[in-house]
Amino acid sequence: MPKIINCSARLRNFVKEFGEDIFSCDNAVLFCKVCGVKESAEKKYNIQQHIARGKHIQQLNIRNQQEKPKSQLLVTGMSMKSSFNEELCNVFLSTNIPLTKLNIPTFRDFLHKHTKQIFTDESTLRKNYIDQCYTNTIIKIRDYVRNKNVWVSIDETTDVEERYVANVIIGTLEVDNPGKIFLLNSEVLEKANHSTISKLFDRSLFILWPEGILYDNVLLFVSDAAPYMVKSGKSLQVLYSKMVHITCLAHGLHRVAEQIRINFPEINSLISNIKKVFLKAPYRINLFKNLAPGIPLPPELIIAPRWGTWLNAVNYYCEHFLHIKNVILQLDSDDALAIKNAKKLVENPEIEKNLIYIKSNFGFLATEITRLETSGMLLSESVCYIEKVKQQIKQALGKTGETVTKKLDDVLNKNSGFKILTIISNILKAEKVSREELPEDLTCDDLIHYKFAPITSVDVERSFSKYKHILSDRRRKFLFENLKKILIVQCNSDDID
């Protein structure tokens, strides 16, 4: 009966035969130290064929010329050369350079010339190193967040593949300075409801604390005001008893801006029609530049639900109304329906009056929204901005002023988490307040960690901007698992070094 040699013994024999300075094994895989790749070891002929390849010989010569001391391999079989490939992959992912660029001969020759390294091709990096870069990123996040209090923010969007994608952001709540912010997880949801969001919340924190979730270390949950998010926040507070759930105040002010837009349909029509007049119309754009030199073109993008941008457009039209009116009246009404509509609107005397009313009473709101979206603000500073908005909107006269004031009051009254953070902010400012509305489990030591607590969810939305940038029209063949890992490496590349 022939002698049977198990896999690990066969690999050890190959390492001993061909040299421990050339090969290593971990009882399952034969690894070439020279080339930094795994090698098939089913037959001795496969190894002999690998050694005879030009790439292996060239890399062996480079190693001998450099005369670098040999480094002991880890149990996983990773070498210094594989460390180079890992760093190269991490740089590409962090800077959003497609790995396929490595297939361009000119680029490969340039890298080889200046690094004196022979690196693997794109497919090897994608299969063997993306996962390692992602794992290293998660480990660094865990090390930084260890035993610290955190806040969590979740938001979802629909991508170009019509998937419901949810991102989970965490940030540390520190006493002396704004904490760091990390993208912890990204998942595709079957549907967006309170159940899927709650499960995603738990799964994400298990990634952060794999040995057991530290429920008392989660002090704040920031989301939008969607009903399923509000319901999810209430259900999560059963387990996370110290957690305060606040809905994004920037979103809340955008809803107030939307109420202003609803009250002025003719202004909205003016902005919409004039935008169409100059959209992809070089002749009209040149005419505008000639008749109104030094004045920027009318705003092109008014993106719902970001109605703060609508207010910026109103400010623009109020400031340059006479110049815009002059240009519109010079155009031929028969060229486009938008021109015909715009002419009627600019000649309406009520239009100019309404522009003046909106800018004088609500024009400041877009600026305040932008200020709220700044990362790392003091909680007391953020609360002051909201109080300032309340006071200025209350000064607006007329029926519209009453309607907008009521809308703002409704937005703030429904946001119970903001009421709690306002109390905490007053405590941090040494003002006399009642602690009755605070969660019972919050201690004095917990309260000081709210000093830099955020009241907006803009950071998670910024991660979607990077997501959409990665998933461009030329990169639509991503497996979502790879897309997720690339996104997490890229979003955290500046915060964990």
Side-chain angles (χ1 to χ4, degrees), residues 93-95 137 141 167 169 181-184 459-460 462-467 470 484-496:
L93 302 186
S94 300
T95 54
T137 299
I141 293 174
N167 285 359
I169 293 282
I181 300 171
F182 306 100
L183 174 63
L184 182 63
D459 291 298
V460 70
R462 287 171 182 144
S463 70
F464 286 126
S465 297
K466 291 190 177 183
Y467 177 89
I470 295 173
K484 162 189 171 178
K485 292 173 182 176
I486 292 172
L487 177 66
I488 290 175
V489 171
Q490 185 179 137
C491 287
N492 298 310
S493 59
D494 296 331
D495 293 318
I496 59 177

Side-chain angles (χ1 to χ4, degrees), residues 272-288:
S272 177
N273 279 285
I274 292 182
K275 181 178 71 173
K276 294 175 183 177
V277 167
F278 295 101
L279 185 65
K280 297 181 181 180
Y283 169 75
R284 298 170 196 162
I285 292 174
N286 288 332
L287 179 64
F288 183 95

Side-chain angles (χ1 to χ4, degrees), residues 53-154:
R53 288 175 184 159
K55 177 180 176 180
H56 177 90
I57 295 172
Q58 185 179 9
Q59 188 63 25
L60 183 62
N61 291 335
I62 291 174
R63 191 180 75 169
N64 292 336
Q65 289 173 3
Q66 293 176 341
E67 296 181 351
K68 289 186 176 181
K70 298 176 183 178
S71 59
Q72 185 178 2
L73 290 178
L74 300 175
V75 177
T76 56
M78 298 296 289
S79 69
M80 293 300 293
K81 197 58 61 182
S82 64
S83 176
F84 168 79
N85 287 329
E86 182 184 325
E87 291 181 19
L88 178 69
C89 182
N90 191 72
V91 168
F92 272 56
L93 302 186
S94 300
T95 54
N96 198 30
I97 301 175
L99 294 177
T100 52
K101 298 297 183 184
L102 286 171
N103 295 335
I104 301 175
T106 305
F107 189 46
R108 290 181 68 89
D109 293 342
F110 171 81
L111 288 179
H112 173 64
K113 176 181 177 181
H114 292 281
T115 64
K116 305 301 181 183
Q117 303 278 3
I118 294 180
F119 37 84
T120 58
D121 59 19
E122 169 265 337
S123 62
T124 303
L125 287 180
R126 186 179 68 253
K127 294 174 183 177
N128 299 334
Y129 292 97
I130 287 180
D131 185 68
Q132 187 63 39
C133 291
Y134 166 77
T135 301
N136 290 342
T137 299
I138 295 297
I139 290 173
K140 289 178 180 179
I141 293 174
R142 288 172 182 166
D143 290 341
Y144 184 85
V145 177
R146 188 184 309 275
N147 297 325
K148 293 184 179 180
N149 293 321
V150 300
W151 59 270
V152 183
S153 183
I154 299 179

